[in-house]
């Protein structure tokens, strides 16, 4: 099979689910066209087999002509070989189209997720994204896959109708009029199925999100005794999903039954009419056998048409989900003409708080309210729109890629991903062993790696669940140090570690970031005491600056915050 195509840049500008499916078909134009042509050949060659059998009976068996019998036997053999060959290659193309459709769906959704960045979790649940990456991609691929067989079924039905009309007008009319009636009956079942699949899909995404939240917080739930409450809530929601699934299954079972019952009744009708015409001498014995063959054959294209309607409906529901995701816009976009940063070093300034981060220094930010420090970090990293300047240039005037490349915000909401630990610490695969080792030493995380049987080659589970909270925090700090950005903003990087480990990190962090700009948001005396400069924040505003010792001596509110006392003597 040919390799799947490389992804195109950008995301499709689709305004509706139908438009999206057409866009997908256009991206697979030639494989789809070849598959449709082969599907037509595959179906039509089967449709012509009853005609060949009927001719063999009439001009070969009935007339006792061995040459004619041999000729039509060879024709039947040729049709069989053609049908087998076309069917094999068609299936190969169908699998290619299915994989390509599913693969492209994953490409554009992941690209859109990256484009939305930090805005994605605010607008779409994790369960919804999981469902798009699992169920919806399958439905999109299936909608493309069925196109070749569906087209072949339509052409085959038309071919049989023409043959029957030329042989017997009444039988031909039965086919010409009967097929639309069957399709209409099936379409009546498709409409409620569409609505119920939509409702089921919504509840499935909600339950997936709930399951992820419970698993992520299971340790905390057990600690506070909340496990039974959330377990009962999950059971209730899962039963609702089951009931909704049963409602979908009822319609699907009717659809499956219709796929067998309706074509079966159609076969009985055509066979009964053909037998009556044969008894009256209006058709020959060979034509009667051919008519029975046509009736039996029509079961396959008719079932294919109902299957196509079902898969197109599922694909349409999935496409609507994807269109919703693609319709989301990021919180920030690049300016029409991005500004350029001056070459010389400069300050990073948060106008709202008055914070000035000097280049090449380790600055600590202590806030009376931790959420104020987090808000400053979000503004400095341009995760919210604010008046922040770098080297005198507003961040909103810079390309977002430039901001992300130069300013890295590492907080405790970051996650460890599944995969080799080395790849987790160095996602860009650009650091050598010495750099990674130095980062692990600075983060006091060498003992974590040494305890793993495979060291840096060890596989990390999803979200790093095999590590404790403190170990995860140290590994995240090591990852940030390996990235070595121009400006690193650390939010409470030692909140989950013990005092001895925190002291080691405090002693090594300055050396690890020597010559680089670092801002640490913390109220830890160990980190504050090693900082080159400390800024004190109250009510979101800078009210004092200096060294840790100077602020302890001169600013009682700072001392109360750092020492975690409740009363302040002014």
């Amino acid at each position: 099979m040919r390799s799947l195509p490389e992804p195109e840049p950008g995301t499709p500008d689709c305004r509706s689910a139908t438009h999206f499916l057409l866009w997908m078909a256009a991206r697979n134009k030639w494989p789809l066209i070849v598959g449709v042509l082969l599907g037509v050949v595959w179906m039509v060659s089967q449709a012509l087999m009853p005609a060949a059998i009927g001719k063999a009976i009439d001009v070969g068996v009935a007339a006792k002509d061995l040459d004619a019998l041999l000729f039509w036997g060879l024709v039947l053999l040729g049709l069989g070989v053609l049908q087998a060959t076309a069917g094999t290659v068609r299936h190969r193309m169908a699998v290619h189209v299915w994989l390509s459709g599913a693969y492209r769906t994953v490409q554009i959704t992941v690209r859109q997720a990256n484009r939305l960045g930090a805005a994605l979790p605010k607008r779409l649940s994790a369960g919804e994204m999981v469902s798009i990456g699992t169920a919806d991609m399958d439905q999109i691929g299936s909608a493309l896959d069925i196109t070749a067989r569906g087209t072949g079924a339509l052409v085959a039905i038309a071919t049989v109708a023409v043959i029957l009309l030329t042989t017997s007008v009444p039988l031909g009319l039965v086919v010409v009029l009967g097929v639309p009636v069957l399709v209409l009956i099936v379409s009546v079942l498709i409409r409620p199925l569409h609505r119920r699949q939509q409702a089921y899909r919504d509840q499935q995404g909600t339950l997936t999100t709930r399951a992820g939240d419970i698993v992520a917080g299971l340790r905390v739930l057990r600690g506070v005794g909340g496990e039974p409450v959330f377990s009962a809530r999950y059971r209730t929601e899962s039963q609702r999903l089951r009931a909704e699934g049963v409602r979908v299954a009822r319609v699907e079972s009717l659809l499956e039954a219709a796929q067998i019952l309706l074509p079966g009744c159609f076969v009985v009708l055509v066979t009964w009419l053909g037998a009556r015409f044969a008894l009256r001498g209006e058709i020959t014995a060979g034509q009667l056998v051919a008519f029975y063959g046509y009736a039996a054959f029509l079961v396959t294209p008719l079932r294919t048409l109902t299957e196509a309607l079902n898969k197109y409906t599922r694909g349409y529901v999935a496409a609507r989900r994807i269109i919703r995701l693609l319709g989301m816009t990021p919180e920030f976009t690049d300016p029409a003409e991005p500004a350029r940063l001056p070459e010389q070093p400069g300050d990073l300034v948060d106008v709202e708080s008055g914070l000035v981060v000097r280049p090449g220094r380790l600055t600590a930010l202590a806030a009376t309210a931790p959420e104020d420090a987090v808000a400053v970090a979000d503004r400095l990293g341009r995760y919210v729109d604010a008046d922040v300047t770098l080297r005198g240039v507003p961040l909103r005037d810079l390309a977002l890629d430039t901001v992300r490349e130069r300013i890295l915000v590492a907080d405790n909401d970051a996650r460890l991903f599944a995969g080799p630990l080395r790849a987790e610490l160095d996602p860009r695969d650009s650091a050598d062993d010495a750099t990674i080792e130095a980062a692990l030493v600075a983060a006091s995380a060498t003992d974590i790696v040494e305890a793993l049987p495979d060291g840096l080659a060890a596989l990390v589970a999803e979200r790093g669940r095999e590590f404790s909270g403190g170990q995860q925090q140290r590994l995240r700090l090591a990852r940030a140090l390996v990235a070595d950005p121009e400006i690193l903003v650390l939010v409470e990087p030692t909140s989950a570690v013990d005092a001895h480990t925190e002291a080691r990190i405090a002693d090594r962090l300055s050396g690890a970031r020597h010559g680089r700009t670092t801002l640490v948001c913390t109220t830890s005396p160990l980190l504050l005491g090693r900082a080159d400069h400390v800024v004190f924040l109250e009510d979101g505003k800078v009210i004092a600056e200096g060294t840790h010792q100077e602020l302890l001596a001169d600013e009682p509110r700072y001392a109360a915050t750092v020492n975690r006392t409740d009363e302040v003597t002014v």
Side-chain angles (χ1 to χ4, degrees):
M1 185 181 296
R2 293 180 297 170
S3 60
L4 293 174
E6 291 297 320
E8 296 91 348
T11 55
D13 183 19
C14 299
R15 295 172 295 279
S16 66
T18 303
H19 192 189
F20 177 79
L21 291 173
L22 291 175
W23 180 87
M24 274 290 187
R27 302 283 76 75
N28 296 278
K29 180 173 64 176
W30 290 113
L32 204 56
I33 290 174
V34 173
V36 166
L37 293 176
L38 290 171
V40 170
V41 172
W42 175 60
M43 278 285 190
V44 171
S45 60
Q46 294 181 70
L48 295 176
M49 286 182 181
I53 295 173
K55 282 290 186 180
I57 292 174
D58 284 340
V59 302
V61 177
K64 298 181 180 180
D65 187 343
L66 292 178
D67 292 336
L69 182 61
L70 178 61
F71 172 77
W72 286 106
L74 291 175
V75 170
L76 185 61
L77 176 62
L79 288 173
V81 172
L82 179 61
Q83 181 262 338
T85 304
T88 301
V89 182
R90 179 210 59 79
H91 180 70
R92 186 180 183 89
M93 296 305 299
V95 172
H96 174 86
V97 170
W98 185 92
L99 289 173
S100 181
Y103 177 65
R104 287 180 191 277
T105 300
V106 172
Q107 284 180 336
I108 62 176
T109 52
V110 170
R111 188 183 298 120
Q112 177 70 352
N114 289 334
R115 179 169 169 260
L116 292 172
L120 179 61
K122 303 174 185 177
R123 304 183 186 180
L124 207 63
S125 66
E128 190 72 13
M129 282 300 299
V130 169
S131 296
I132 290 175
T134 54
D136 289 345
M137 60 171 277
D138 178 75
Q139 305 303 342
I140 296 296
S142 296
L144 297 177
D145 162 41
I146 196 63
T147 303
R149 285 190 292 136
T151 306
L154 284 173
V155 175
I157 291 172
T159 302
V160 171
V162 170
I163 294 175
L164 291 177
L165 282 171
T166 57
T167 306
S168 173
V169 174
L171 285 176
L173 290 176
V174 168
V175 175
V176 172
L177 299 177
V179 169
V181 171
L182 295 180
V183 174
L184 180 61
I185 294 174
V186 171
S187 65
V188 172
L189 295 174
I190 289 292
R191 186 168 299 175
L193 178 63
H194 184 184
R195 293 194 301 268
R196 294 185 182 185
Q197 283 179 339
Q198 181 77 31
Y200 180 76
R201 175 66 177 71
D202 290 342
Q203 288 187 232
Q204 189 178 40
T206 302
L207 188 62
T208 303
T209 302
R210 173 77 66 184
D213 291 342
I214 291 175
V215 171
L218 190 58
R219 184 180 302 174
V220 177
L221 290 176
R222 286 176 174 171
V224 298
E227 185 179 2
V229 176
F230 279 84
S231 178
R233 188 176 301 172
Y234 180 83
R235 279 197 300 270
T236 301
E237 293 185 8
S238 66
Q239 288 304 308
R240 290 176 184 169
L241 180 64
R242 183 192 62 81
E244 192 64 39
V246 171
R247 293 185 64 210
V248 174
R250 287 196 185 103
V251 181
E252 288 185 337
S253 63
L254 290 175
L255 185 60
E256 291 293 330
Q259 290 179 3
I260 297 174
L261 177 63
L262 296 179
C265 294
F266 192 71
V267 170
V268 172
L269 177 62
V270 173
T271 304
W272 180 74
L273 290 174
R276 290 181 61 86
F277 291 155
L279 289 174
R280 292 202 299 260
E282 296 179 15
I283 59 175
T284 65
Q287 289 174 332
L288 175 61
V289 173
F291 283 174
Y292 177 78
Y294 292 138
F297 162 74
L298 285 174
V299 173
T300 298
L302 288 174
R303 290 196 65 181
T304 301
L305 287 182
T306 56
E307 180 187 356
L309 288 173
N310 187 18
K311 287 189 175 181
Y312 284 143
T313 299
R314 291 172 177 266
Y316 183 82
V317 172
R320 287 182 60 182
R321 295 285 181 179
I322 297 169
I323 284 297
R324 179 190 169 200
L325 172 64
L326 297 182
M328 296 178 182
T329 56
E331 291 180 314
F332 310 113
T333 56
D334 291 339
E337 295 183 4
R340 296 176 62 90
L341 280 174
E343 294 295 331
Q344 65 273 16
D347 299 338
L348 176 64
V349 180
D350 176 35
V351 177
E352 182 175 336
S353 65
L355 171 67
V356 178
V357 182
R358 308 292 182 188
R361 303 175 69 182
L362 175 60
T363 303
L365 176 65
T368 53
E371 58 270 20
D372 290 340
V374 172
V376 171
D378 286 343
R379 293 197 293 268
L380 294 179
R382 190 157 166 70
Y383 291 106
V384 296
D385 190 32
D387 292 326
V388 178
T389 62
L390 175 61
R391 303 179 189 175
V393 180
L395 292 188
R396 60 168 61 97
D397 292 342
L398 297 173
L400 196 58
D401 286 345
T402 301
V403 177
R404 297 286 180 261
E405 179 183 355
R406 295 178 179 275
I407 303 174
L408 173 62
V409 178
D411 57 21
N412 290 314
D413 289 332
R415 291 288 182 265
L416 296 174
F417 296 97
L421 180 57
R422 183 188 179 91
E424 178 60 28
L425 297 177
D426 181 24
R428 298 179 180 177
D429 194 23
S430 58
D432 54 24
D433 292 342
T435 301
I436 296 177
E437 179 65 24
L440 290 170
V441 170
S444 190
T446 53
D447 60 311
I448 303 174
V449 179
E450 291 170 354
L452 298 174
D454 298 323
L456 290 174
L459 293 178
V460 178
E462 181 185 4
R463 295 194 174 192
R465 58 177 179 267
E466 70 267 54
F467 301 118
S468 66
Q471 290 175 325
Q472 290 186 36
Q473 190 172 56
R474 286 184 281 161
L475 290 173
R476 290 196 298 266
L477 175 59
R479 180 173 59 186
L481 295 175
V482 170
D484 193 30
E486 177 184 327
I487 301 173
L488 176 60
V489 180
L490 298 173
V491 180
E492 295 291 351
T494 58
S495 58
V497 301
D498 59 77
H500 296 290
T501 303
E502 185 178 27
R504 290 194 295 269
I505 294 174
D507 289 336
R508 300 166 183 173
L509 183 59
S510 179
R513 291 288 297 168
H514 179 70
R516 303 295 244 174
T517 306
T518 307
L519 174 68
V520 183
C521 301
T522 182
T523 55
S524 165
L526 292 171
L527 289 173
L528 293 169
R530 270 70 166 186
D532 299 324
H533 187 68
V534 179
V535 179
F536 181 51
L537 200 71
E538 187 176 54
D539 296 329
K541 303 293 183 181
V542 173
I543 62 170
E545 298 184 56
T547 65
H548 175 58
Q549 296 300 327
E550 290 172 347
L551 291 176
L552 282 177
D554 301 335
E555 180 53 68
R557 290 168 293 183
Y558 173 82
T561 300
V562 172
N563 295 328
R564 296 171 175 81
T565 57
D566 295 329
E567 297 181 0
V568 179
T569 303
V570 180

